[in-house]
């Protein structure tokens, strides 16, 4: 046999040795079958988990009962509303030394504020000094707030004292020099048959006779402010307290999250921010419109919080969040879609115990000895 004949005979044998190509279709079929098994198994597992979850979501009760709210298209953030970075140039005072200061008052060169851990503090010469506590107990989480207290609005009175509203406790007068605390009206005291669950801000006349303050809700507490916003609860009020007669009057009712409040320079009207509706209401205290109310400004570029007077005769208004335009505002989007809000918060209903909800919605109880007007240390 010649060498060429030998090569011709060996070539088929070599092609049979390299068998990967010949077996590839079979391996490919096996891989496809395994992939189909995996996909079917994964799909069945997903369905078995999703269906019970959806069923549970449908059966769960939502802690809120939101109603559709109607907003105008937010104003364009152009011109005077053009975003800027000016606040980044502000000097930072007591950075990382204060926890959640909400409002600031000054007597001379001394500043005072309330903090998230229930304290009223004095800020002077670069030092922080606690002058009062409105509550007691630990102040570590939001659930501690009802006992610990959460001072929000704070104003200086004409006699060198401070007037403070605590979201859970009520309205106080604090003497910062003697460290004395006097409870003027307790949140446990029903006002026209309804308790105050979320006392928020205040403003006071120059003579100290009248105090105007907001109760953001009779239902939701400060720690549940997100539920208050999402539900669109309209049980907030603007109230008037007379420091001489000790009487409290309701000036405006059915407000949606009334927040910051401010007297006009001539004290002929009082402004109140309606956070949920992105607007500011005006209540007339004197003149032809006395006792009446109207819209001071509506369709704000954000959701307003506190209001304070400016040196130019206008007002500073802090915005809790901006309604972007151009852009996307989540709160505007959800306002006309209460069913989405309801579904979102169904899961959170497990975190709000039935006992807590019953406590927050129970009938106002009569004054306890600690709830009556009077002083305490």
């Amino acid at each position: 046999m010649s060498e060429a004949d030998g090569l011709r005979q060996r070539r088929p044998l070599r092609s049979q040795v390299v068998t990967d190509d010949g077996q590839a279709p079979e391996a490919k079929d096996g891989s496809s079958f395994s992939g189909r098994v995996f996909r079917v198994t994964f799909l069945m597992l997903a369905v078995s988990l999703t269906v019970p979850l959806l069923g549970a979501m449908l059966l769960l009760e939502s802690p809120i009962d939101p109603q559709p709210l109607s907003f105008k298209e937010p104003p364009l953030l152009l011109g005077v509303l053009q975003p800027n970075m000016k606040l980044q140039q502000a000097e930072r005072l007591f950075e990382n030394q204060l926890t959640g200061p909400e409002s600031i008052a000054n007597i001379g060169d001394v500043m005072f504020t309330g903090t998230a851990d229930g304290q009223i503090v004095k800020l002077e010469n670069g030092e922080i000094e606690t002058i009062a506590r409105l509550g007691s107990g630990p102040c570590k989480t939001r659930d501690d707030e009802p006992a610990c207290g959460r001072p929000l609005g704070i104003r200086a009175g004409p006699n060198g004292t401070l007037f403070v509203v605590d979201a859970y406790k009520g309205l106080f007068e604090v003497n910062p020099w003697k460290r004395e605390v006097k409870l003027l009206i307790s949140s446990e005291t029903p006002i026209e048959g309804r308790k105050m669950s979320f006392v928020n801000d205040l403003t006071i006349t120059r003579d100290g006779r009248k105090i105007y303050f907001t109760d953001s809700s009779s239902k939701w507490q400060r720690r549940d402010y997100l539920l208050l916003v999402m539900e669109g609860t309209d049980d907030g009020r603007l109230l008037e307290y007379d420091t001489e007669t000790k009487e409290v009057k309701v000036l405006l009712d059915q407000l949606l999250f009334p927040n910051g409040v401010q007297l006009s320079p001539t004290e002929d009207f009082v402004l109140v921010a309606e956070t949920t509706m992105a607007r500011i209401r005006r209540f007339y205290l004197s003149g032809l419109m006395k006792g009446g109310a109207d819209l001071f400004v509506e369709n704000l570029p954000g959701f307003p919080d506190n209001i304070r007077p400016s040196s130019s005769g206008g007002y500073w208004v802090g915005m809790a969040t901006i309604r972007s335009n151009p852009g996307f505002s989540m709160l505007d989007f959800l306002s006309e879609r209460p069913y989405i809000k309801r579904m979102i918060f169904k899961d959170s209903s497990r975190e709000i115990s039935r006992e807590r909800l019953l406590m927050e919605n129970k009938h106002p109880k009569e004054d306890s000895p600690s709830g009556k007007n009077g002083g305490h240390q």
Side-chain angles (χ1 to χ4, degrees):
M1 178 182 294
S2 66
E3 184 177 352
D5 292 338
L7 289 174
R8 281 194 295 270
Q9 290 181 10
R10 286 197 295 271
R11 281 173 187 168
L13 294 175
R14 290 184 62 188
S15 62
Q16 292 174 3
V17 171
V18 183
T19 59
D20 288 350
D21 292 340
Q23 293 179 358
E26 183 179 350
K28 187 175 181 181
D29 290 340
S31 175
S32 299
F33 177 75
S34 299
R36 287 195 298 271
V37 170
F38 173 78
R39 286 193 296 271
V40 171
T41 303
F42 179 80
L43 181 61
M44 292 177 64
L45 181 62
V47 170
S48 65
L49 293 174
T50 302
V51 171
L53 180 61
L54 289 176
M57 290 292 289
L58 291 174
L59 293 175
L60 281 174
E61 292 185 6
S62 175
I64 61 174
D65 182 23
Q67 303 300 317
L69 302 175
S70 180
F71 287 94
K72 296 180 180 178
E73 181 181 353
L76 292 171
L77 298 183
L78 302 173
V80 295
L81 296 180
Q82 181 73 35
N84 60 68
M85 310 299 287
K86 292 181 180 179
L87 284 180
Q88 291 194 359
Q89 303 169 14
E91 179 184 359
R92 296 175 181 267
L93 304 177
F94 304 98
E95 189 171 10
N96 299 323
Q97 299 179 61
L98 296 170
T99 307
E102 166 79 8
S103 179
I104 298 173
N106 67 285
I107 300 177
D109 295 330
V110 183
M111 294 190 298
F112 300 89
T113 188
T115 59
D117 52 2
Q119 300 182 72
I120 307 296
V121 298
K122 179 175 72 171
L123 312 174
E124 185 179 18
N125 299 325
E127 296 184 355
I128 303 173
E129 181 181 355
T130 300
I131 62 170
R133 286 183 180 273
L134 304 181
S136 61
C139 306
K140 297 179 180 180
T141 68
R142 283 193 309 173
D143 287 334
D144 295 327
E145 286 188 355
C148 178
R150 182 58 168 105
L152 295 178
I154 182 170
R155 302 278 186 157
N159 299 320
T161 61
L162 300 170
F163 291 91
V164 184
V165 286
D166 185 289
Y168 301 90
K169 306 295 184 181
L171 174 63
F172 293 82
E173 184 176 7
V174 178
N175 188 318
W177 322 114
K178 297 181 179 180
R179 310 295 198 267
E180 294 176 350
V181 178
K182 182 181 180 181
L183 177 62
L184 300 179
I185 180 167
S186 169
S187 292
E188 295 295 333
T189 303
I191 309 300
E192 295 189 6
R194 285 162 51 195
K195 67 176 183 178
M196 299 183 292
S197 290
F198 187 173
V199 191
N200 201 318
D201 194 22
L202 80 162
T203 185
I204 183 171
T205 56
R206 283 186 293 271
D207 62 6
R209 171 72 184 269
K210 299 289 184 66
I211 299 173
Y212 302 95
F213 65 104
T214 50
D215 177 31
S216 296
S217 177
S218 300
K219 176 181 180 182
W220 298 110
Q221 294 183 325
R222 196 215 73 88
R223 57 181 170 171
D224 299 316
Y225 71 92
L226 186 57
L227 299 178
L228 170 59
V229 171
M230 287 298 175
E231 185 173 56
T233 315
D234 62 349
D235 64 344
R237 296 178 290 179
L238 171 66
L239 303 114
E240 174 192 271
Y241 176 74
D242 190 311
T243 58
E244 292 188 6
T245 66
K246 316 301 181 186
E247 294 179 344
V248 184
K249 296 179 181 179
V250 177
L251 301 183
L252 283 177
D253 201 351
Q254 295 183 319
L255 300 176
L256 286 85
F257 201 162
N259 200 327
V261 61
Q262 177 61 49
L263 273 165
S264 68
T266 57
E267 300 186 351
D268 58 336
F269 63 81
V270 61
L271 301 176
V272 56
E274 225 176 343
T275 299
T276 304
M277 295 304 297
R279 66 191 182 192
I280 297 174
R281 300 282 294 276
R282 171 171 48 191
F283 181 85
Y284 291 91
L285 301 170
S286 62
L288 296 176
M289 292 284 290
K290 182 178 179 180
D294 61 10
L295 284 177
F296 183 73
V297 61
E298 62 178 332
N299 200 33
L300 288 166
F303 295 91
D305 199 314
N306 279 351
I307 309 173
R308 295 295 183 267
S310 71
S311 58
S312 64
Y315 302 92
W316 293 107
V317 181
M319 298 290 178
T321 186
I322 295 298
R323 303 168 64 210
S324 300
N325 189 14
F328 176 74
S329 171
M330 177 60 74
L331 290 180
D332 280 55
F333 172 78
L334 293 175
S335 64
E336 296 184 356
R337 298 168 175 84
Y339 57 92
I340 297 181
K341 295 182 186 180
R342 195 174 288 110
M343 287 299 296
I344 290 174
F345 284 93
K346 274 191 174 185
D347 186 57
S348 69
S349 65
R350 291 176 294 183
E351 301 173 9
I352 303 176
S353 68
R354 183 177 300 275
E355 180 181 353
R356 177 171 160 189
L357 283 176
L358 289 174
M359 178 188 69
E360 293 176 354
N361 292 285
K362 68 182 178 181
H363 188 275
K365 59 186 179 183
E366 296 300 322
D367 284 348
S368 62
S370 61
K372 293 180 180 178
N373 295 343
H376 67 277
Q377 290 290 348

